Amino acid sequence: MRTRVLSLVLALGAALGAALTVLGAGPAQAAGYRYWSFWQSGGGKWTYATEGPATARPSDGSVNGFRFSVSEDSGDSAQPRTAPDFEAICGRTPPKDDTKRIALVIDSGTQADAPEGETPPASRSACAQVGKDATSAEALASVAKPLRYNSEALLCAISGYPESGCGEQVATKPKPKAKPSESAASASAASKSGSDHKGGPSVGLIAGLAAVAVLGTAAVWQSRRRRG
């Protein structure tokens, strides 16, 4: 009998340790990619391009944008921070026969997205006047050399930035922590309800219940031992 009760105590203790380990573990960091995203204008807004700059053939009066950032996917990708305004960029460039004018916005991003040891160049705009059949990549090359591509034709660098790397995977930055007052309020609410912010039992509540169960079982075992 004593052996059976002792086994139960040990099992409950192990369950408590496992619960604290699982609940105390932090969320895994999401993976993102550091790269130049390609954007096109539409209705005065930026739209993520559905094809690469090497195949896109914009018409005269188009605006193309390039933004360097760390993004998890196209829906999470940062847009160029300059509005797609053709007149503001190309308004002073007169049209010529057999050419087209493409307004380009080149946004090198922020220091937080830069590779270690590098500083992003200042963002800039330029008006590319190229042949009527030119691609977006050719328009970009006319105003922002040198460009660098990898073996899969992925655009890796504009005007030499960044110096190395191409679409490498990096850990995305964690979301900002709640303010101290917000954290205190959340902790107070969780304490009163006996649950965490996701609606499940809190670590403290589970630990308390498991500890009570372990101590209660131990007390029963001790009482029976004395009687015996």
Side-chain angles (χ1 to χ4, degrees):
M1 180 65 180
R2 293 178 182 176
T3 301
R4 182 179 179 183
V5 174
L6 180 58
S7 298
L8 179 58
V9 172
L10 294 176
L12 286 171
L16 170 61
L20 292 176
T21 299
V22 172
L23 292 175
Q29 282 189 311
Y33 296 88
R34 182 184 286 121
Y35 69 103
W36 282 99
S37 57
F38 176 42
W39 300 79
Q40 297 171 320
S41 63
K45 298 181 180 180
W46 288 117
T47 302
Y48 197 91
T50 57
E51 60 181 318
T55 57
R57 297 182 187 278
S59 58
D60 181 73
S62 297
V63 186
N64 285 179
F66 297 85
R67 172 68 190 267
F68 189 77
S69 66
V70 174
S71 309
E72 292 181 33
D73 52 43
S74 60
D76 176 61
S77 189
Q79 298 181 5
R81 291 168 290 179
T82 299
D85 189 336
F86 177 82
E87 287 301 321
I89 300 172
C90 286
R92 296 184 180 181
T93 303
K96 292 182 180 179
D97 293 339
D98 298 323
T99 67
K100 60 184 178 183
R101 295 166 299 165
I102 309 301
L104 297 168
V105 174
I106 305 168
D107 189 339
S108 301
T110 66
Q111 187 62 53
D113 291 326
E116 185 176 357
E118 294 196 54
T119 300
S123 300
R124 65 190 184 95
S125 301
C127 186
Q129 194 159 36
V130 291
K132 289 187 175 181
D133 197 41
T135 64
S136 294
E138 290 170 330
L140 180 64
S142 71
V143 299
K145 289 182 179 180
L147 304 183
R148 176 167 56 86
Y149 293 88
N150 67 3
S151 58
E152 284 75 39
L154 177 66
L155 179 61
C156 304
I158 297 176
S159 296
Y161 179 78
E163 295 180 0
S164 61
C166 192
E168 64 270 23
Q169 191 174 43
V170 296
T172 56
K173 297 180 290 295
K175 295 182 179 179
K177 294 182 179 179
K179 296 179 180 179
S181 59
E182 295 175 349
S183 298
S186 298
S188 176
S191 176
K192 291 178 182 178
S193 64
S195 63
D196 62 13
H197 66 283
K198 293 183 179 180
S202 66
V203 173
L205 179 60
I206 290 180
L209 292 175
V212 169
V214 171
L215 293 175
T217 304
V220 172
W221 175 45
Q222 194 68 269
S223 176
R224 292 183 177 180
R225 181 181 180 185
R226 287 174 183 172
R227 292 176 185 176

